[in-house]
Amino acid sequence: MTAASSALPQHFDDIYQSIPATVTLIAVTKFLPVETIRAAYERGVRHFGESRVQEAIAKQAQLTDLPDITWHLIGHLQTNKARKAVEHFDWIHSVDSLKLAQRLDQAAQELEKAPHSCLQVKLVPDPPKYGIDAAELLSLLPQFDQLEHLKIRGLMTIPPQGASPDTVQEVFAGAKELAGTINQGRFNRLHIDQLSMGMSGDYPAAIACGATMVRLGTVLFGARPPSLTSG
Ligand SMILES: *Cc1c(COP(=O)(O)O)cnc(C)c1O
């Protein structure tokens, strides 16, 4: 119909329609132009994921005519950008330390916001990746539970690069189990009702293990252009 729609790969709708209605599709548009976001929006997508705060802010400034987008930050966040993240995102999936969670909570209080968030967890050892080890997370739960403004709703996890199907399964099933363990703790605020897991290479397995949000880029849009800076 429009030039923007034709910018999407032909299989876009097939993939989009294949995601169960109970699972939120987050279209990952990092390094992709705003025209791609507009095209996906026209097809019905309302949840978009970006990995960098500055890049997202620049795109949001060009999309002010689409006010019903839910913005998800999925990339590592430095504590000094916590305030900007709270200003510009509805969901923060990459809460990978107590310190970051505390900064986000403080920013949320100051800005009178209540952002939703996921704790990024590591279910198997993966040195290069950010995330909180499961055992460490369990020991920190009382402190996460004290945060009044940051709404901790989910666990986010990413299997190690090149992991075997067995390991991928272990990671996704482990996240589901950890969520159950956390909820059995009957905390005041902390209750996990979302599992953010599954990317282009592994989302069917994630959905089978109970993912409620999948973060898909390549499988929807094709290969991304390389990022201009590292990270
Ligand atoms: C880039 C990215 C994705 C999307 O990856 P694809 O393999 O292109 O689907 C999902 N989650 C995170 C955290 C990412 O950085």
Side-chain angles (χ1 to χ4, degrees), residues 28 30 51 74-75 156 158 198-201 215-219 224:
V28 175
K30 60 187 180 196
S51 57
I74 61 172
M156 188 274 252
I158 306 171
M199 300 167 48
S200 290
R215 310 176 310 270
L216 304 185
T218 312
V219 74
R224 278 183 289 278

Side-chain angles (χ1 to χ4, degrees), residues 190-201:
L190 195 55
H191 181 82
I192 304 299
D193 61 12
Q194 299 291 323
L195 292 174
S196 170
M197 55 192 199
M199 300 167 48
S200 290

Side-chain angles (χ1 to χ4, degrees), residues 122-129 157-164 167-168 171 202:
K122 283 203 271 193
L123 282 309
V124 297
D126 187 8
K129 200 154 287 140
T157 198
I158 306 171
Q161 190 104 44
S164 69
T167 300
V168 169
V171 167
D202 55 23

